[in-house]
Amino acid sequence: MTGPIIKLDGVHKSYGEVDVLKGIDLDIAEGEFLTLLGPSGCGKTTLLRIIAGFEEVTDGVCLISGRDMAGVPANKRPTNMVFQSYAVFPHLTVAQNVAFGLRRSKLGKAEKAAKVEEALGMVGLGGYGARAAHALSGGQRQRVALARALILEPTVLLLDEPLSALDRKLREQMQSELRRLQRQVGITFILVTHDQEEALIMSDRIAVMFGGRIAQLAPPQELYRRPRTLDVARFIGVMNVLPGEVKEKGPAGIEVRVDGLGRARIEPEQAPSGARIGTGWAGIRPETMSVLFAGEQTDRSVAEGEVAEVTYYGDMTYYDVILDGTDRPLTISMKNLIGREVLERGARTRVSWDARSIVWFGEEAV
Amino acid sequence: MAFWQSRSETTKGYATVAPPLLYAFFLLAVPLGAVLVLSFWSQEFQTIDRTFTLANYREALSDPLYRLLLWRSVKIAGATTIVTVLLAFPIAYFVSFHVPPHKKSLWIFLITIPFWTSYLIRVFLWKVILGYGGVLNSALMGLGVIDEPMTFLLYNANSVVITLAHAFAPFAILPIFVSLEKIDRSLLEASRDLGESTAMTFLRVTLPLAAPGVIAAILIVFIPTVGDYVTPRLVGGPDGTMIANMIQVQFLQLSNAPLGSALAVLAMLTVTVVALIVSLGIGRLVRAPK
């Protein structure tokens, strides 16, 4: 591979006084599944529309396959988009929708029809060609929009929150199908979503955006295990945050004291944003902690506290435990194994955790 | 119990629709029926002969004058419709696509301003504008563009088309505007994204989706203009006289109500046929597939 398929360099976008994007640098590799993840208003959709050619950059450069896209309109770009509303043409049939972009291709009528059928087969709509588009269900429209974009074999496929309007079951099914489809066709996918779970499931890399900037760009596992900022940590999954203090700093890591947990050694890579002597925050995921049931022994670190809330999910139980000497509850998730009791609210309990799972944030503010 | 309940429900239903039903019956169905019945009778000097006859229709269809007037009415109404819809579409398009959302109602409000003055006064004003010594001719002569007043402006079919097109413009703009407003803008982006230029996007997406509004506009303009009486009477001259003027002459000046009724029925049939052709024909061209 010769270089990134998409290169964004210092991309700014303002609408009048409002800065929507404040300097985006992003390289996207060929065949990659990249997700732009963030809360609404973070600029992720604007960034996608800049790549698609629906918005012009205020400042900065957008290169696709090494070509500067400034002044190139959407219809001349090697990108295709799946819209949030699907934008399936209501006055056409399914086949006419899928063939919409083939008007100027040099293929014969029969070849076009075969290509359309192939594209429909790829998204699981084989035989639906003659149906009226306005009579389709949401999930089917989604697939038509996908087939319509993929049939043009774009360099990059852009997906603007394509699954947000589907119900949960269908969404999960489409997530795995999209992933399979992307591997099959090998096209670069850029997905915009506000659903962190969806981002983790589908992406090769995730760019988490806040306020017009990329806060962290990393593969899902790294993003989950080593978020760089508290914002990212709280946006991806659940992160318990406790105030603490760096006591010692050395080449092999830092020595911290955390409210309620006591002293712990933290490896350098568990403090991705760096650490200096002084106060900061310790983050620990619910599944890396355990509630110890009566008589249970462990060689991990242990603290004591009181169960403030119990939330039963069937396969899991989430406990909010207030450790002695602290005032904020920690969320701890426990698998509901056979024979394992579910604690009552107000019960005293011991809690164990693994010091290796603590992430250190050297930030001042909460 | 159920019997009584359903009966009282039915009674209530009839009571609810009775006023508009009576209104529609006495003011629409009865006059229409009267015209239809009258057209099969005949006029004998001062009295009406009530024996069934097709003589009125025979006369209406065989006399070249009536055929000419009916055909001219259709032509003038057709020309008016084409001019009105062609001018209305860009206006509706502009308001829908290029006016900021919060100003759209203001624009629509401004478009309806012609309705504030009486129809009759608007027709008279066109007379003042288009006349021999009218605003247009004096202005163009004053500017030295023309040496003598143009006479093809007033008292012919042109002036009827101009006047009617102006009067019916809002009727055409509003339905087209509504159908353009309903178009999901992401469809236009999708078309661009799939490689089509702005012009092709207009032809392949905007126009087909606006078709219901265009059809409505065509019918709304065509149907009343075929039978228009005031405009041809005031600005039409001999070349701009239409079928409604002849019907009026038959009823009030020649005292031949049966023949006038037959002409009215024929005019209605013509409108029905054209309306059916438009709504079915154009509708089929752009209708969403089954």
Side-chain angles (χ1 to χ4, degrees):
Chain A
M1 204 205 78
T2 52
I5 199 93
I6 288 186
K7 188 173 178 62
L8 300 172
D9 201 356
V11 168
H12 283 260
K13 177 72 188 175
S14 328
Y15 295 102
E17 298 284 287
V18 187
D19 294 329
V20 181
L21 296 175
K22 303 168 185 167
I24 301 285
D25 300 313
L26 183 61
D27 286 3
I28 303 169
E30 189 169 0
E32 185 174 10
F33 198 129
L34 183 113
T35 297
L36 301 174
L37 174 68
S40 55
C42 73
K44 56 191 192 299
T45 296
T46 306
L47 189 58
L48 195 76
R49 290 172 60 81
I50 282 174
I51 298 171
F54 294 125
E55 308 280 350
E56 287 283 329
V57 296
T58 309
D59 191 23
V61 186
C62 169
L63 300 170
I64 301 180
S65 306
R67 214 174 118 224
D68 188 354
M69 285 290 128
V72 180
N75 51 328
K76 304 265 193 246
R77 293 195 182 195
T79 57
N80 284 115
M81 184 137 154
V82 175
F83 291 82
Q84 185 169 14
S85 62
Y86 315 141
V88 168
F89 302 115
H91 58 301
L92 302 177
T93 63
V94 168
Q96 284 168 336
N97 260 285
V98 176
F100 192 91
L102 292 179
R103 185 179 63 87
R104 281 176 309 168
S105 97
K106 299 204 165 41
L107 296 175
K109 217 172 174 182
E111 286 166 299
K112 274 187 195 174
K115 223 175 153 183
V116 167
E117 199 47 48
E118 189 198 347
L120 283 174
M122 202 155 65
V123 297
L125 282 183
Y128 277 69
R131 298 239 187 144
H134 61 80
L136 298 178
S137 70
Q140 288 168 335
R141 275 175 214 214
Q142 168 80 76
R143 288 159 194 265
V144 171
L146 204 57
R148 184 176 71 180
L150 284 174
I151 200 170
L152 300 175
E153 293 161 22
T155 307
V156 182
L157 185 74
L158 308 170
L159 303 119
D160 183 11
E161 307 225 15
L163 309 177
S164 57
L166 303 179
D167 63 64
R168 194 192 166 101
K169 264 235 160 71
L170 198 54
R171 189 163 64 230
E172 284 169 359
Q173 188 190 337
M174 281 305 289
Q175 282 168 355
S176 62
E177 255 184 74
L178 267 180
R179 193 79 187 93
R180 174 188 60 76
L181 210 57
Q182 195 263 341
R183 284 199 208 100
Q184 187 187 328
V185 296
I187 291 173
T188 309
F189 277 34
I190 304 179
L191 172 78
V192 160
T193 184
H194 61 263
D195 181 344
Q196 45 95 15
E197 205 172 89
E198 187 171 297
L200 291 174
I201 292 169
M202 298 172 76
S203 327
D204 293 323
R205 282 194 303 162
I206 300 169
V208 185
M209 293 179 67
F210 290 106
R213 289 195 178 87
I214 294 179
Q216 190 170 2
L217 173 66
Q221 288 196 28
E222 193 188 326
L223 199 64
Y224 187 80
R225 294 185 55 187
R226 288 189 282 276
R228 288 182 60 89
T229 68
L230 283 170
D231 281 341
V232 174
R234 290 197 179 108
F235 198 74
I236 313 280
V238 178
M239 180 69 93
N240 294 307
V241 177
L242 290 162
E245 194 182 345
V246 179
K247 290 289 190 192
E248 278 171 48
K249 192 179 168 187
I254 50 175
E255 190 72 32
V256 296
R257 186 202 49 76
V258 180
D259 282 11
L261 299 180
R263 288 180 89 90
R265 252 207 104 61
I266 292 177
E267 304 281 317
E269 78 253 23
Q270 292 299 112
S273 55
R276 55 194 147 63
I277 301 289
T279 58
W281 301 90
I284 186 159
R285 296 282 186 193
E287 68 277 8
T288 63
M289 306 180 79
S290 299
V291 166
L292 290 179
F293 295 92
E296 217 174 320
Q297 295 301 315
T298 182
D299 47 7
R300 307 204 300 176
S301 316
V302 175
E304 285 198 26
E306 189 180 304
V307 176
E309 192 59 77
V310 181
T311 316
Y312 180 74
Y313 278 93
D315 58 337
M316 306 283 283
T317 303
Y318 280 74
Y319 295 100
D320 287 349
V321 178
I322 298 176
L323 294 181
D324 296 345
T326 65
D327 52 1
R328 52 179 85 198
L330 294 184
T331 303
I332 301 171
S333 65
M334 295 297 290
K335 268 218 162 79
N336 288 332
L337 302 178
I338 297 281
R340 183 178 273 177
E341 59 174 322
V342 174
L343 295 180
E344 298 279 323
R345 203 146 58 90
R348 293 288 304 172
T349 185
R350 288 180 301 145
V351 166
S352 75
W353 76 91
D354 191 332
R356 287 174 302 171
S357 63
I358 294 177
V359 189
W360 184 257
F361 303 96
E363 290 169 44
E364 294 292 326
V366 179
Chain B
M1 188 64 196
F3 172 75
W4 285 109
Q5 214 162 10
S6 76
R7 179 160 167 157
S8 82
E9 291 263 314
T10 317
T11 318
K12 248 188 246 168
Y14 280 130
T16 311
V17 298
L21 204 66
L22 288 175
Y23 177 90
F25 181 74
F26 285 109
L27 292 173
L28 291 172
V30 170
L32 214 57
V35 167
L36 195 66
V37 169
L38 204 55
S39 72
F40 292 109
W41 290 344
S42 53
Q43 187 81 31
E44 292 291 335
F45 299 104
Q46 301 295 341
T47 57
I48 292 208
D49 180 357
R50 294 200 165 109
T51 45
F52 179 85
T53 173
L54 289 171
N56 297 315
Y57 287 97
R58 221 170 285 131
E59 191 183 343
L61 290 169
S62 57
D63 191 326
L65 175 63
Y66 302 140
R67 274 216 305 266
L68 172 84
L69 287 178
L70 193 55
W71 176 231
R72 186 193 282 160
S73 302
V74 171
K75 276 198 296 187
I76 287 179
T80 304
T81 307
I82 291 168
V83 169
T84 312
V85 172
L86 284 184
L87 291 177
F89 198 96
I91 296 171
Y93 187 88
F94 177 80
V95 177
S96 179
F97 282 82
H98 296 288
V99 171
H102 62 281
K103 290 214 177 109
K104 281 181 184 174
S105 15
L106 175 69
W107 275 77
I108 293 299
F109 175 71
L110 292 176
I111 283 167
T112 59
I113 280 186
F115 282 118
W116 295 9
T117 34
S118 135
Y119 179 46
L120 204 61
I121 289 172
R122 275 179 280 150
V123 178
F124 271 115
L125 285 174
W126 276 107
K127 238 171 134 158
V128 173
I129 294 169
L130 299 172
Y132 189 81
V135 177
L136 197 62
N137 275 325
S138 336
L140 287 176
M141 289 210 302
L143 289 168
V145 181
I146 50 173
D147 295 327
E148 54 185 66
M150 297 180 289
T151 51
F152 61 89
L153 290 175
L154 194 57
Y155 299 128
N156 55 30
N158 294 340
S159 51
V160 178
V161 171
I162 293 172
T163 309
L164 287 175
H166 172 248
F168 281 90
F171 286 116
I173 293 170
L174 292 177
I176 296 173
F177 171 75
V178 169
S179 68
L180 289 172
E181 279 292 280
K182 280 202 296 193
I183 297 177
D184 178 358
R185 299 304 192 254
S186 69
L187 293 174
L188 309 181
E189 288 193 338
S191 169
R192 301 274 287 149
D193 186 65
L194 293 166
E196 293 295 15
S197 60
T198 321
M200 281 309 293
T201 296
F202 177 79
L203 289 176
R204 293 187 74 187
V205 182
T206 315
L207 203 52
L209 290 175
V214 173
I215 291 173
I218 289 174
L219 295 178
I220 287 173
V221 177
F222 183 81
I223 292 172
T225 48
V226 169
D228 196 79
Y229 162 76
V230 175
T231 302
R233 178 82 179 77
L234 291 178
V235 301
D239 293 338
T241 303
M242 288 163 69
I243 192 72
N245 306 103
M246 180 50 78
I247 295 170
Q248 185 262 350
V249 166
Q250 293 293 346
F251 268 91
L252 300 181
Q253 287 167 27
L254 301 179
S255 290
N256 194 349
L259 183 57
S261 299
L263 288 172
V265 170
L266 285 177
M268 278 192 281
L269 283 177
T270 313
V271 170
T272 310
V273 169
V274 174
L276 281 177
I277 291 172
V278 169
S279 52
L280 293 179
I282 301 183
R284 187 153 300 163
L285 278 180
V286 293
R287 176 123 356 116
K290 285 267 144 51

